[in-house]
């Protein structure tokens, strides 16, 4: 994204959760570290562009973008805990719980969540009542027991579930697609998109979310195999859901191209009725490039389907 | 409270977070257990009475009451984690994390929080914009880094803080007073209470919150001492904040009566302008009875101040 855009979102990410001088020092330091380490900020960039494409005020667009990014960041803090994925590094620095303990990471995540709801509320408060309640119901559904939390719990108990494509995609629906749907659909709801447009955005979020998950899964398998003397993927050794492990690398590459093609159909129809969101073609291009690269590394051909 | 009231609130507590059939079974069971084990429901009862005293619709009163109780319940699930208070029993049953793991308890708490924000939003959505944003800002402040989360973090790091009355009361301000303030003040904000009334309610919440904390602290010290062969309180052995340990049992009893007297002054002034909330006198009476009982057990006299 443009440098000025990134700078503006970076400052918004760091500055949208003011820390009072009286805040307990350990929690303050933990939050400081999180707020000074934004990720790629690709999600907030998309939220901003869609919001503006649908005519939202820039201030509301930024509140919504940062609010959703705070939810996402909080979910990573929880994900990384020893009782969940037990990760050690995130965004190039040691995980928050390693430096501030599980309790410190949990309180920091809760601070982000509390602020995220407030920012989202502020962003929707300028909308007419119907859009407001539609947007808040959509937020609740995708963050809660119908979305993110269900995916996370299925992920944690994957050992008890059938290791097939349906299950891995169900988990990805909860963990990955939920947040991408909020990213693509929530601004459109507030912008008064028609139900037809919302349906197209929901399908695009579904196909792209599952695609990104397959890209991750393939990288896990291929990169691990590439390492000398290590032919077992991290997901396999930890019994984590990975579609390439349950339907094979070839099947996963095919599925990836299939999903991207399905998304293309929806994207074409969406841009016809809403040219303002044609920037989504750039995301599609990046996704396609990843797919081609993976296809080449697997079978040495460019997989015409997404060329 | 009246049986029919309790039954209605009990059903609302159990039924306000519908669990989809597709929910991952471990998370479903954890949430089921939490939702079937409401506590005393004294908080939601107070929220309902104040809401009705300020003319809110009964449906909004219930949404607000259950929303705040879900926030409270979620805070208990986090509190009980090994990385926080490391508790083993809550509301007569083993803590959620003992049966469902830390991750299960965390996901259950997050489900309650997600629903709590939704219920609160629904409750405020019928208010005029100024009351709505005032109420949501009040909610954010008392749940977040200015309130509950700060108190919890100070509590966790009490070992690094001065062991004096100011510190223990600061911690109680965050952990105890924040939720009592939401209980007393939030419905009044939505009911259009004047700033003078809100100020009185805030002071009552402060004095009563600190009083209840002192009652807990005194019980910890006195009951422990009463146990044969054990003269050290649980708070002392765990180096937990306890005002009776930092200013002595006598000083704590004096402070308790002082706080109750301060609350009485505010309560009298409030009931003059808003007779509809005179039910608060019953809470004051219960608090006074606790104080008298503790005073007797300490120095064998009824401590006229609150007779």
């Amino acid at each position: 994204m443009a440098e000025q855009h990134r700078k503006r979102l970076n400052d918004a990410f760091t500055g949208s959760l003011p820390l009072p001088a009286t805040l307990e020092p350990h929690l303050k330091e933990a939050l400081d570290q999180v707020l000074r380490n934004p990720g790629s900020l690709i999600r907030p960039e998309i939220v901003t562009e869609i919001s503006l494409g649908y005519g939202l005020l820039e201030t509301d667009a930024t509140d919504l973008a940062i609010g959703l990014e705070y939810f996402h960041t909080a979910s990573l803090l929880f994900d990384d805990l020893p009782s969940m994925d037990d990760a050690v590094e995130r965004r190039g620095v040691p995980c928050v719980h390693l430096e501030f303990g599980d309790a410190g990471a949990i309180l920091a995540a809760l601070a982000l969540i509390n602020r995220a709801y407030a920012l989202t509320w502020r962003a929707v408060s300028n909308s007419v009542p119907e859009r407001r309640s539609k947007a808040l119901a959509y937020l609740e559904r995708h963050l809660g027991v119908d979305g993110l939390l269900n995916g996370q719990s299925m992920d944690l108990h994957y050992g008890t579930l059938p290791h097939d494509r349906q299950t891995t995609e169900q988990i990805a629906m909860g963990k990955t697609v939920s947040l991408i749907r909020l990213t693509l659909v929530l601004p459109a709801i507030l912008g008064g998109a028609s139900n037809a447009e919302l349906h197209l955005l929901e399908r695009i979020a579904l196909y792209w979310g599952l695609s990104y998950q397959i890209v991750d899964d393939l990288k896990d398998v291929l990169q691990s195999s590439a390492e000398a003397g290590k032919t077992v993927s991290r997901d396999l050794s930890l019994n984590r859901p990975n579609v390439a492990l349950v339907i094979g690398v070839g099947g996963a590459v095919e599925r990836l191209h299939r999903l991207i093609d399905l998304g293309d159909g929806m994207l074409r129809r969406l841009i016809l009725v809403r040219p303002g969101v044609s920037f989504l073609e750039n995301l599609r291009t990046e996704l396609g490039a990843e797919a081609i690269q993976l296809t080449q590394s697997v079978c040495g051909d460019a997989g015409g389907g997404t060329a």
Side-chain angles (χ1 to χ4, degrees), chain A residues 14 35 118 144 154 161 177:
Chain A
T14 306
L35 294 170
M154 286 182 74
L161 298 170
V177 174

Side-chain angles (χ1 to χ4, degrees), chain A residues 8 21 25 167 198 230:
Chain A
R8 200 179 51 72
T167 305
L198 295 178
K230 181 162 169 296

Side-chain angles (χ1 to χ4, degrees), chain A residues 50-84:
Chain A
I50 294 197
S51 300
L52 300 180
Y54 276 97
L56 268 63
L57 296 172
E58 184 160 1
T59 52
D60 292 339
T62 304
D63 281 342
L64 191 61
I66 300 302
L68 291 177
E69 190 65 5
Y70 281 176
F71 282 122
H72 171 66
T73 306
S75 76
L76 299 179
L77 289 176
F78 285 119
D79 255 26
D80 291 342
L81 290 173
S83 61
M84 307 240 187

Side-chain angles (χ1 to χ4, degrees), chain A residues 95-168:
Chain A
C95 288
V96 175
H97 67 269
L98 292 178
E99 196 170 340
F100 300 94
D102 289 15
I106 289 170
L107 295 180
L110 291 173
L112 288 167
I113 287 173
N114 185 52
R115 185 61 181 151
Y117 281 105
L119 288 169
T120 308
W121 175 263
R122 200 166 68 182
V124 306
S125 62
N126 290 330
S127 286
V128 294
E130 310 78 65
R131 291 182 194 177
R132 201 163 55 216
S133 41
K134 190 173 183 178
L136 292 173
Y138 197 84
L139 178 77
E140 183 193 8
R141 186 158 77 254
H142 288 82
L143 290 180
V145 289
D146 296 288
L148 192 57
L149 296 177
N150 189 46
Q152 181 67 8
S153 199
M154 286 182 74
D155 191 345
L156 288 168
H157 298 285
Y158 183 57
T160 69
L161 298 170
H163 287 29
D164 54 25
R165 198 197 82 196
Q166 288 64 26
T167 305
T168 55

Side-chain angles (χ1 to χ4, degrees), chain A residues 3 58 150 166 176 236 242 248 263 265:
Chain A
E3 256 328 298
E58 184 160 1
N150 189 46
Q166 288 64 26
T176 310
L236 180 59
N242 181 312

